[in-house]
Amino acid sequence: MLSGTILSLIVAFSYILFQNHELKQDLEKQKAETLMLESEKDYQQMVSFYKEKGKEDKPQKSGYVIRKKAEKLSKQFKKESDGRFKEEWGKFLVREAMRNDVDPYIVYELLRVETGNKFDPTLVGPETKYGRAYGMAQFMENTAPWIAEMAGMKYESKEQLFNPYYAIQLSIVYLDYLHAKYDDWDKALTAYHRGIYGLEKYIQKEGHAESWYAKEIQEKAEEQELIAVGKK
């Protein structure tokens, strides 16, 4: 009799555990779906903001001036990277950065930090709870499509992120968006590194947006500019 009661209790307890496990899984699934919907809404707002911003007049720069600067900086970037950052990549970076009114030195230094000085276009980042980051600009699969939409480019698969020109273009467009949103390089760069919500959490914790990432990129960009004008 006693053994039967114990067995019934064990069965009942097991059922409760099973039900709790099922409930927990359902709650986690609902939470994930909610976050996905919120993220999609946020990304759509990002795209709308950027497209609206794109209607504004950007400073017009002479094609000749852009070409000359692209030739000069592409050689500098190649030299500073010990040949790892190809000259043709540099020319493309400078042209597109200047066309979008983004500091090319910032873009170059961001790519340097993202790849750990390697400038490897085939780089795959470590596994995280959000997935992996791919390519020279280290974009995640869940953010790359929206940034590509901002840039007016097709996104079909993560394989495109391994194309250095595609990655450079996305990084410029995303930096352009972030700087327009915050009008502050500390915030823009920290948001690039940690995500927009990550930036908010960082500011709440530290009281400012000057992360090591933002500080290093800006300091190195200033050094690159001094080299370019012959003051270093």
Side-chain angles (χ1 to χ4, degrees):
M1 184 71 177
L2 183 60
S3 60
T5 302
I6 293 173
L7 181 61
S8 297
L9 288 172
I10 291 173
V11 170
F13 184 67
S14 299
Y15 179 74
I16 291 170
L17 288 177
F18 176 76
Q19 288 291 93
N20 286 339
H21 178 70
E22 289 287 301
L23 179 61
K24 185 178 179 182
Q25 284 189 321
D26 288 342
L27 288 172
E28 288 178 350
K29 184 178 179 181
Q30 289 175 14
K31 184 178 179 181
E33 289 175 349
T34 300
L35 287 173
M36 186 172 69
L37 289 172
E38 289 177 352
S39 296
E40 185 172 341
K41 181 181 177 182
D42 289 341
Y43 285 132
Q44 288 290 3
Q45 289 175 344
M46 287 165 58
V47 172
S48 297
F49 172 87
Y50 191 73
K51 286 183 176 179
E52 189 63 32
K53 172 184 171 297
K55 296 177 183 178
E56 301 173 5
D57 292 331
K58 284 181 177 286
Q60 295 297 312
K61 295 181 176 65
S62 162
Y64 178 79
V65 171
I66 291 177
R67 180 171 175 270
K68 294 298 289 183
K69 189 162 187 175
E71 289 177 351
K72 181 178 181 180
L73 291 190
S74 63
K75 289 181 172 62
Q76 178 178 324
F77 292 158
K78 180 180 179 180
K79 181 180 178 181
E80 289 299 307
S81 67
D82 293 325
R84 287 186 288 271
F85 195 77
K86 296 181 181 180
E87 202 166 320
E88 54 265 35
W89 298 348
K91 289 178 181 178
F92 179 80
L93 182 157
V94 176
R95 286 198 302 267
E96 291 305 305
M98 292 184 71
R99 188 171 68 84
N100 286 275
D101 199 30
V102 175
D103 186 342
Y105 303 104
I106 290 283
V107 182
Y108 170 81
E109 288 301 331
L110 178 142
L111 297 175
R112 180 187 63 77
V113 172
E114 286 291 338
T115 59
N117 297 302
K118 296 177 181 178
F119 296 103
D120 180 4
T122 67
L123 183 66
V124 176
E127 183 69 50
T128 71
K129 63 180 179 180
Y130 303 109
R132 294 180 184 273
Y134 301 92
M136 195 184 294
Q138 288 290 277
F139 282 112
M140 311 285 284
E141 285 187 89
N142 62 333
T143 56
W146 303 101
I147 301 168
E149 187 178 346
M150 284 184 193
M153 295 159 55
K154 288 184 178 180
Y155 179 85
E156 296 171 350
S157 74
K158 67 184 180 186
E159 300 304 317
Q160 290 170 280
L161 300 175
F162 297 127
N163 181 315
Y165 300 101
Y166 191 93
I168 289 170
Q169 185 74 71
L170 289 192
S171 68
I172 290 170
V173 167
Y174 194 36
L175 282 172
D176 189 23
Y177 162 75
L178 291 171
H179 193 257
K181 178 179 176 67
Y182 298 113
D183 194 27
D184 180 288
W185 275 120
D186 283 338
K187 291 180 179 179
L189 290 168
T190 299
Y192 189 107
H193 183 225
R194 293 172 171 266
I196 291 173
Y197 292 126
L199 166 66
E200 293 173 1
K201 290 180 180 178
Y202 185 85
I203 293 174
Q204 288 174 3
K205 180 181 178 182
E206 303 294 338
H208 59 80
E210 190 185 24
S211 62
W212 72 264
Y213 183 91
K215 185 176 180 180
E216 179 173 334
I217 288 174
Q218 290 177 90
E219 287 180 350
K220 293 292 184 180
E222 288 178 8
E223 290 178 14
Q224 289 287 352
E225 189 168 10
L226 288 174
I227 291 170
V229 298
K231 291 185 178 180
K232 184 175 180 181

